[in-house]
Structures are given as C-alpha cells and as structure tokens.
Amino acid sequence: MTRLIAMRIATVLPVLLVVATIVFVLLRLSPGDPAQVLAGENATPEALSNIRQELGLDRSLPVQYVTWLVEMAHGNFGTSVLSRVPVLTLIRDRLEPTMVLALSAIVITVLLAVPLGALAAWRHNSWIDRGVMVLSVIGFSVPAFVIGYVLILLLAVKTDLFPVQGYVSPLSDPVAAARHLFLPSVTLALVFMALIARVTRSSVLEVLGEDFVRTARAKGNRPTRVLWRHVLPNAAVPIITVVGLGLALLISGVVVTESVFNIPGVGRLTIDAILARDYPVVQGLMLFFASIFIGVNLLIDIAYVIVDPRIRY
Amino acid sequence: MQINRREALIWSAATLLATTRSSLAQGRRTIRIAPHAALRVLDPVTTSAYITRNHAYMVYDTLFSIDAAYRPQPQMVKEWTVSDDQLSYTFTLREGLLFHDNRPVTAEDCVASITRWAKKDVVGLRLASAMSDIRPLDDKTFRIALKTPFGPTLEAMARPSSIPLFVMPRRIAELPPDKPLEEVVGSGPFRFIASDFRPGVSWAYERFADYVPRAEPPDGLAGGKVVKVDRVEALWFPSKQTAINALAKGEIDLLENMNADQRSLLDGDRGVTLRRRFGPMASTIRFNWAQPPFDNLKARQAVQAVVTQQDYMDASIGDPKSYQICPALFGCGTQLEVDDGFRDTGKPDVKTARALLKESGYKGEKVVIITPGDIASFAPLAPLTQQLLQQIGMASEIQTMEWSTFLARRAKPGPVSEGGWNIAHAVFDRLDLISPLGNPNFDARGKSGYSGFVDDPETTDLKNQYERATDPARQKAIAAELQKRAYDLVFYIPLGTYYDYEAFRSNVTGYVPAPVMVMWGVTKA
C-alpha cells in the first residue's frame, strides 16, 4: 500500500506538467481575446492594445509559458485577468459550495442507488427489476436542468417548501444549508442514481452466479445475509469505481445544476472563466481538476485493496 | 434518530442565530437586486462594460449627469461659468461633498479624475486634445482652459457611456489609467462593501450616511440621489428563469432586465410590478467595409434596399408595444433626433436590390455572417439577414460562435480566409448612440477604427466641426449631415429599437426610471 501511494505521488508532478502544457496550448489556440472581454464590447482598438500590453498578452507564447511555469513553481498561480483576484483565492472561495453539493448528492445517490440496484438484481426479471431499470433510463435520459426546473416549480414556487436558489454554508447555518441543498442535491442524485443502480445491478447479477454464493445459500444462510455479507462485498469493485469517478465528475461538472440553482461553485467559475478567456483562472482550474481526478483514482485503488484482498499492486 | 441534550442545544442555538440574523437583515431595510450581468471589474476607467459602469454610479458621483431627456445637469457642480470666447470653463463644487474615507472632495480630486478619464474615454480623449490647461483655483473651484472651443464640454462630463467621468480621490486618480484600481473610494450615495465582493457572484453596498444629495427630485441620472434603504445586495443569476422564479417567490426584490418574451412568466403575478425599461436597445447590421463584396457601396445599398425595421422588429421582438421604428441614428427621444437620410420605406425593394447588386460586380462569392450563439438578443438576427440575402441572390453562410470569439473575430478587418467576416450584427444601448463623438457607428477611421471599419474622412471632418460648434442648433445641423452621410454611404443598417422590461416586487416603490439601474429613491415596505 505504501509503495502504491509513493508511486502515485511520484507520478503526480509529471502528469500535472503535461496537463498544464496541454491546457496552455489549447487556450492560446482557441479564438477569443481576454482583452476584448475586459475592455467591453465598444472598446476602441487603442484601448484593446493597451490592455493586451498591460496583461502581457503581447509577449510571445514561449515567454508567456515559461513565465507562467516559473511563477507556478513559486506557488503563484496568477491573478484573474478580469477581477484581479488571485486564482487560488477564487478557487478556494468557490470550492466549498461545489464540494458540499457533490458530497450530499453522492451520499443520497449511494444510499438509494446501491440498495435499489442490488434489489433489482436479487429480484431479477421481476416487476421490481423492471421498475428500477425504467426509472434509471428516465433518470439518465432527462437532462439535469429539466429535472431542476421541474423540482423548483413544484417544490419551491408552487408549494413553498424549499428556496428557489442560493447557497448557505452548513458551517454558518445548518438548517438553512440543508433547505438550500435539498433540491440541487436531489437533481444531481437522480441523474447519478440511474448510472450507479445499473452498475450495481449488473455487478450483483454477475456475482450471484458464482459458486461461493450457491455454497452460502446451501449452508442455510438467510437471503439478506447472503446479499449483504457475500454478494455485495464481491460486487463492490465496479461500484466503487463508478462512485469514485462520479464524485470527481460531480466536483468538476456540476455547472448546469449550479446555474439552475444559482450556487456559486467551481463549475460556474470554470464556465465563466472559459467564456471570458480568463487564462490564469482556466489554467488553475484545470490543474485543480486534474489533481482531483488523480486523488480520487488513488483513493479508488486503495479502496479496491480494502474490499477485495485478492487485489495486490 | 435520537438527539441528546447537547445536540439539541447546538441545533436550537443555530436556528436562533439564523432567525436573528435574518431579522436583523430585514430590519436594516435591505433590497436585493438581480442585475443584468456579473460584476467582475471594479475600475470604471478600465472597461466599457455596462455592469461596471452601473456599479460605479452607485459608488462614485459625477460632476454632471444626464436627465431623462438626455440633457446634462449639474450634479457635484454647484455652478459654472463659460468665458465669452468659449475657451474657459470654471466650475465650483457643491458644499458638503465627502469621499467614503471622510475626506472632503476638492477641486484637486476633480482635476485628477478628469485627467485619468480623459486618457481612456473616446470623447474624453477629444476634450483632452482641445484642452490647453486644467487646474484647481482653490479647494472648491477648478478651471478648464481650451485651445479651441469644445461645444459638448458639459455633455462629455455628463455622458453615461461608455466610460463616464466619475470623481475619485486624487491619490487614486493619479494612478496610471492602465493599472486597475485596488480600492473603491467614491463620494457617491452608496459605499461599496469590499469584504462582501465575490467576483462573478455577489456584491453589496451600504448607504453612505454623509452623502449630501441635491435638492431637486431625481430625473434620469440627474437630480437628488436620496437613499432610502440601508443596504443593497446584488446577486448574479446565470439563469434568467431562476431569477424570475426568485422574484416571484420574493427571494429578490428587483430584476434589472428581461426580454419581452419573458414578461409573460410574471404577467398576472400580483406581487410583482412589470415596467418597460427606460432606455431602449438598438440592433444593427454591420458590414465589413474592408473586404469584398461590401467594400463596394452598391453591394451595401443592395442590402439596405431590402431591410425594413418593421420586419426585423416583428420577427425578433413581436410585440409592437415593445419596439419602435427609429430613423434617428443618435437615438429617438434624444437631443439630436433627426430623420434625415432615412431610406427605409417599410417595404423591401427586391428589384432595386438585385439591380444594385449586379452593378456592384458581385460574382456569387459566399458572404459569411458571424453571430454569437449564446446571446439571446442576437439569435433571430442572422437567420433573417441570411433570408434577405437569399432573396436578392447573394450566397451566404452563418457561422455561429460564442460571445468572446465573436467579439475578437468582429474586430478583425481581414478576409474571411484569414478569420474575418462580411456581416456581423451589433446591439447598442441608446446611451452609446447619443453623441456623434462617442457613437461607435461614426468611427470612420477605416481599419484602425471600430469594427465595420468605415472609412470616410468627411465624417471625421464633420465630427471635428461638431466638436467645435457651441450653438445647439449648429450641433444639430451637423448631426443631421452626419446621419445623412451614414445612410447614403451605408455605414451600417439600423434595425429599430426595442425595449426590455424590469420587474420588481410590488412593495418596492420609488424605483427611478433611468437609463442605468440606480438605487437612490427606492423604498421597500
């Protein structure tokens, strides 16, 4: 295990450097101009030229690249072209809403989707199985923004049970935070439940056919004990993979839900920065997301070893 | 689930704290607004973005401001005199003007602010060129001396777009105009709360208790800025639908803008008042003058012959109460409203258009129309234009891109093969149009000018004449000549003006009809 962690950490820096380089090149290749966004639509050519000079955008790309790398090596990820706020401060301020939303969504998802998927497999070809599969197809097919707006209409505007929008930190007001988080978390959970329930179902189905399950049943174990003690732990590896990657995807990709519920998270920050061609912010965010994926992959690998002792690295 | 006594105590305390905080916020007469865009840039001299300008009107004060008829009126200035030869303006400030750091506003601050602004604003640059000297005479008085008369001096100082003249403390205003400001210290009716600024998300202001408003009632952006709320919280909504839902439910008090279509979502809601916005928007067709086929006047005239404002407004806005056919290139309802040169008969003339196109030597080359796919007000324009081009026998292609790419591409005068364009649309706030000196459509400096790259030295000459004219009648006559020239040479094609809507909770009163969203005068029951 220690060797695995050490090896992974050793590969982090080269991976991040590759990501940084690709992001830098792709951003510069894409059309658009941060000076134009900063100056405004009716800016004169002279104003644009001054801003480019001030932001260092008139320098050659190799010079910009090396300058950026050197600054990053010193822990300086740059400053937003638009707001002049340090990139790390911007990400830090927007991280909490996304993390809280992603975690609450994944908790709801796992608590509901894993038992539902297992039940569907256990009652294979029954009405329960078909019902779960129909629900999962619907959940996966309907876009998150449609689910979000429908929930807002029914549970916020018409019935006044929840707020329409906004984010409250659980640290400042847990009750208000829970009320604000409920609808966006359910929106995200409905989408991811479909995926995780399907993976759970197929994984459990596969394990149900194994000899050791038949043996467990033959020994007279109760069905629920067979499911929880023998089947689910052995079906866990693909489920852990999907849950782990789902969490990473949620952290990096909740932009639609954040927009619909007006949650100021990193998803919205990313889209805003890309649209505004705010190069330092996009570069910082991409490195951050790469780090999240690397970290989550490491945690998934560690979880494999814990749930399945046959796995060795 | 069982809760022990300790947990129960913590939860009770948290609930009590939340309730108390909420009550306090309400007790402090807080108004929550949803502006049209997210605030990211705080320095109004760095950018011409409307949201930064609107923010600045809250925090900074101006020497002059325009009233509802777009006329300059004194704001921080108490009185002023103009010498007989029109070469010297002397201004005296009102009593009691204070910056938010409690320093009195002095003539030195005004001089430094004018100097910084005049290095960036397009009309400010012209004023600066005409100036021979600007200096404080005493604490409250300063003088501008001119080399040549500059007729629109007061208009320039009052102009609300694109970079208005806001007064800042001298220590800040003397920083280079290319370096963005790091602190927001104005002398306006609201104080910016820096600790509540979350770029791109939310920001807040509190009433500046020591602000001394003028005695007159509010009138456009002029008049008394009497603040009746303690705090203004601005929250950016990336989804307009969510903002409308939040207003309907009372989570916000005021929504700055929504288009005519969205009005139906709030129609019939008794808790909400809907109002047509004060200043309309004007959509246009722009040609790339630097490239064929529209480097040729006949080709531009061919398109002009089939464009009617009525068709564009019917198709893109629909509701006749929400749009206006407007021949005046400096804005209908403004001081320079004239209808000289207007070619639009309300009926497309396809026959003439085809003949003009033939005369132009057009050989069937494909015309590229660029359009931003992510801006709703642009969405109907490109397909309509393409349909008209098709009618007159022009081959065309629409290329859709997002806003940032569109802006960067529209600024390129080169051929399509090098990332250029032939037709692009633009939408302006009427405020951008009211002055011939500041109106981007009258930038006639060719490839070094505003996108469209209109090249017409005579227009530049007419603008110089306008600048020197001190008689309003003469100014209007020159504006009429400019307008006629723009129609004759087809600088661009105006497509009519249309109104967005603003919506506010019915317990909000006193919201001043003005071309910029301002929070003085507003009360919340």
Side-chain angles (χ1 to χ4, degrees):
Chain A
M1 182 79 77
T2 313
R3 192 165 152 261
L4 166 71
I5 295 171
M7 275 172 58
R8 285 301 177 88
I9 289 172
T11 58
V12 166
L13 275 180
V15 170
L16 288 180
L17 184 64
V18 170
V19 170
T21 307
I22 292 172
V23 170
F24 183 91
V25 172
L26 286 179
L27 269 176
R28 270 40 179 211
L29 285 179
S30 64
D33 181 0
Q36 181 83 59
V37 178
L38 178 59
E41 188 191 348
N42 299 330
T44 59
E46 296 86 349
L48 288 174
S49 169
N50 287 340
I51 290 174
R52 280 194 199 101
Q53 195 178 357
E54 201 258 313
L55 296 176
L57 297 170
D58 58 338
R59 290 182 287 176
S60 69
L61 285 187
V63 170
Q64 289 183 45
Y65 178 67
V66 172
T67 310
W68 177 54
L69 282 186
V70 170
E71 287 296 319
M72 272 208 309
H74 289 88
N76 177 12
F77 281 68
T79 302
S80 163
V81 166
L82 264 74
S83 61
R84 307 298 169 131
V85 174
V87 171
L88 287 180
T89 307
L90 272 179
I91 295 177
R92 187 199 63 207
D93 289 351
R94 307 285 280 268
L95 192 55
E96 185 197 303
T98 302
M99 292 289 277
V100 171
L101 176 59
L103 283 171
S104 63
I106 212 81
V107 166
I108 295 172
T109 304
V110 171
L111 287 179
L112 293 175
V114 172
L116 275 177
L119 190 64
W122 192 254
R123 298 273 184 249
H124 185 45
N125 278 337
S126 70
W127 65 268
I128 295 177
D129 183 20
R130 280 190 285 274
V132 170
M133 285 307 98
V134 167
L135 281 178
S136 76
V137 168
I138 293 171
F140 213 66
S141 312
V142 182
F145 74 89
V146 174
I147 297 174
Y149 284 130
V150 169
L151 289 177
I152 287 175
L153 181 70
L154 297 178
L155 300 176
V157 177
K158 297 277 185 203
T159 57
D160 205 18
L161 290 171
F162 297 98
V164 168
Q165 54 83 40
Y167 173 78
V168 176
S169 171
L171 300 173
S172 68
D173 186 344
V175 178
R179 290 192 69 231
H180 279 84
L181 273 172
F182 183 79
L183 294 183
S185 303
V186 168
T187 302
L188 281 173
L190 285 174
V191 176
F192 274 89
M193 266 175 66
L195 176 67
I196 291 174
R198 286 188 80 93
V199 170
T200 305
R201 177 183 175 272
S202 57
S203 185
V204 168
L205 266 179
E206 202 175 303
V207 175
L208 280 173
E210 298 279 340
D211 290 345
F212 68 88
V213 176
R214 198 169 56 244
T215 307
R217 279 174 166 155
K219 280 164 64 181
N221 281 311
R222 278 179 293 133
T224 46
R225 183 178 165 79
V226 173
L227 179 65
W228 291 105
R229 287 294 299 272
H230 298 279
V231 177
L232 271 177
N234 285 287
V237 167
I239 301 171
I240 287 171
T241 310
V242 176
V243 171
L245 291 178
L247 181 61
L249 282 170
L250 278 173
I251 290 170
S252 59
V254 294
V255 61
V256 172
T257 309
E258 285 181 357
S259 294
V260 168
F261 292 96
N262 210 27
I263 294 170
V266 283
R268 258 178 61 185
L269 177 65
T270 308
I271 297 298
D272 286 352
I274 290 171
L275 291 177
R277 300 292 185 274
D278 198 340
Y279 295 153
V281 179
V282 179
Q283 287 161 182
L285 281 164
M286 291 306 127
L287 287 179
F288 167 72
F289 292 138
S291 308
I292 293 274
F293 273 91
I294 292 168
V296 167
N297 269 313
L298 177 61
L299 290 176
I300 290 171
D301 288 346
I302 292 169
Y304 285 170
V305 177
I306 293 168
V307 299
D308 190 345
R310 290 170 298 181
I311 295 174
R312 287 283 176 273
Y313 292 100
Chain B
M1 186 176 75
Q2 282 193 332
I3 297 176
N4 61 34
R5 276 201 312 177
R6 187 162 168 267
E7 284 167 340
L9 198 64
I10 291 170
W11 279 92
S12 308
T15 310
L16 185 67
L17 193 68
T19 314
T20 311
R21 189 182 295 134
S22 165
S23 313
L24 276 175
Q26 282 168 13
R28 289 183 59 214
R29 292 187 302 167
T30 298
I31 189 155
R32 293 180 181 83
I33 60 174
H36 72 278
L39 180 68
R40 295 183 178 89
V41 183
L42 295 178
D43 183 354
V45 175
T46 308
T47 179
S48 61
Y50 295 149
I51 187 65
T52 300
R53 184 239 357 233
N54 295 4
H55 146 78
Y57 267 105
M58 297 282 281
V59 176
Y60 301 100
D61 214 347
T62 52
L63 294 167
F64 288 82
S65 282
I66 56 160
D67 62 17
Y70 297 88
R71 290 172 304 212
Q73 302 291 349
Q75 185 51 246
M76 295 171 81
V77 165
K78 182 181 171 192
E79 55 199 23
W80 72 101
T81 56
V82 188
S83 63
D84 291 343
D85 60 3
Q86 309 281 333
L87 291 176
S88 174
Y89 285 73
T90 306
F91 302 94
T92 305
L93 296 174
R94 285 194 286 133
E95 293 301 320
L97 298 176
L98 270 184
F99 283 114
H100 298 160
D101 58 6
N102 293 320
R103 276 192 52 255
V105 179
T106 65
E108 280 189 338
D109 299 310
C110 299
V111 168
S113 298
I114 292 171
T115 307
R116 187 172 194 262
W117 161 79
K119 286 177 184 161
K120 298 293 272 189
D121 180 61
V122 74
V123 181
L125 284 161
R126 283 176 166 271
L127 178 60
S129 308
M131 270 186 215
S132 58
D133 187 34
I134 176 168
R135 68 175 61 192
L137 302 179
D138 59 40
D139 269 3
K140 294 285 166 204
T141 311
F142 64 96
R143 176 176 295 156
I144 292 177
L146 300 168
K147 291 177 274 189
T148 52
F150 191 85
T153 298
L154 302 188
E155 285 87 341
M157 294 168 95
R159 92 190 211 94
S161 196
S162 54
I163 297 179
L165 167 51
F166 295 111
V167 174
M168 302 168 177
R170 179 183 164 188
R171 68 184 168 84
I172 294 175
E174 283 184 343
L175 296 170
D178 294 328
K179 298 282 176 202
L181 303 180
E182 291 187 354
E183 55 179 327
V184 181
V185 181
S187 64
F190 289 93
R191 192 200 297 262
F192 182 66
I193 308 172
S195 57
D196 284 357
F197 177 43
R198 303 184 68 197
V201 178
S202 58
W203 59 103
Y205 309 90
E206 62 187 10
R207 187 170 72 91
F208 179 42
D210 293 324
Y211 181 77
V212 180
R214 296 188 71 87
E216 303 94 327
D219 180 9
L221 293 170
K225 301 178 177 178
V226 180
V227 176
K228 296 172 180 173
V229 291
D230 295 319
R231 182 178 160 90
V232 177
E233 291 176 359
L235 187 60
W236 161 235
F237 285 79
S239 157
K240 190 69 83 184
Q241 179 64 55
T242 304
I244 290 169
N245 284 333
L247 182 77
K249 194 154 177 259
E251 290 178 23
I252 55 170
D253 301 302
L254 199 151
L255 177 59
E256 185 185 1
N257 76 320
M258 52 199 277
N259 62 39
D261 287 346
Q262 290 165 327
R263 204 178 42 168
S264 61
L265 296 168
L266 288 168
D267 263 343
D269 187 331
R270 283 189 208 157
V272 173
T273 302
L274 279 164
R275 190 169 78 182
R276 207 172 77 164
R277 292 201 69 217
F278 180 83
M281 307 297 287
S283 39
T284 58
I285 293 177
R286 311 194 66 75
F287 301 105
N288 184 349
W289 273 49
Q291 299 300 327
F294 298 119
D295 57 344
N296 186 300
L297 173 61
K298 300 278 182 192
R300 297 194 298 271
Q301 285 174 331
V303 181
Q304 188 185 41
V306 286
V307 167
T308 70
Q309 294 194 3
Q310 186 76 51
D311 287 347
Y312 269 87
M313 289 294 104
D314 279 343
S316 60
I317 307 299
D319 175 13
K321 281 182 284 188
S322 301
Y323 69 73
Q324 183 183 9
I325 305 302
C326 177
L329 299 185
F330 301 111
C332 288
T334 66
Q335 298 301 298
L336 298 180
E337 178 179 358
V338 286
D339 56 7
D340 298 54
F342 191 43
R343 300 291 180 96
D344 187 342
T345 60
K347 210 174 164 191
D349 186 350
V350 177
K351 199 174 156 194
T352 304
R354 284 177 180 270
L356 284 164
L357 195 60
K358 198 172 172 188
E359 283 177 49
S360 77
Y362 173 70
K363 292 186 181 62
E365 56 268 44
K366 192 183 281 179
V367 165
V368 168
I369 306 169
I370 57 167
T371 189
D374 51 345
I375 305 288
S377 53
F378 282 71
L381 302 178
L384 277 167
T385 303
Q386 188 179 37
Q387 200 181 336
L388 290 178
L389 297 183
Q390 213 168 8
Q391 278 179 22
I392 64 173
M394 261 187 156
S396 62
E397 177 191 342
I398 295 177
Q399 294 185 4
T400 306
M401 56 208 73
E402 44 76 46
W403 182 238
S404 175
T405 305
F406 172 79
L407 286 182
R409 190 158 167 193
R410 203 179 63 181
K412 287 183 184 173
V416 169
S417 58
E418 292 170 18
W421 54 282
N422 300 116
I423 285 183
H425 296 88
V427 179
F428 298 92
D429 190 308
R430 179 160 63 189
L431 291 176
D432 291 321
L433 310 177
I434 56 178
S435 159
L437 304 183
N439 186 327
N441 298 314
F442 286 83
D443 185 337
R445 296 176 295 160
K447 288 183 184 175
S448 59
Y450 185 68
S451 61
F453 322 110
V454 170
D455 193 350
D456 182 37
E458 196 169 324
T459 291
T460 305
D461 183 48
L462 281 168
K463 282 165 71 174
N464 290 338
Q465 290 179 40
Y466 178 87
E467 180 181 299
R468 290 187 200 107
T470 50
D471 170 26
R474 173 73 187 132
Q475 285 180 344
K476 196 159 181 172
I478 297 170
E481 274 187 70
L482 278 164
Q483 175 167 311
K484 188 166 179 310
R485 193 152 183 85
Y487 274 124
D488 288 349
L489 298 184
V490 200
F491 285 8
Y492 69 105
I493 304 177
L495 301 176
T497 57
Y498 63 91
Y499 291 86
D500 284 341
Y501 285 80
E502 52 202 6
F504 42 93
R505 299 291 305 170
S506 299
N507 60 343
V508 171
T509 51
Y511 179 32
V512 178
V516 171
M517 181 173 74
V518 291
M519 286 296 110
W520 51 84
V522 172
T523 54
K524 185 179 162 189

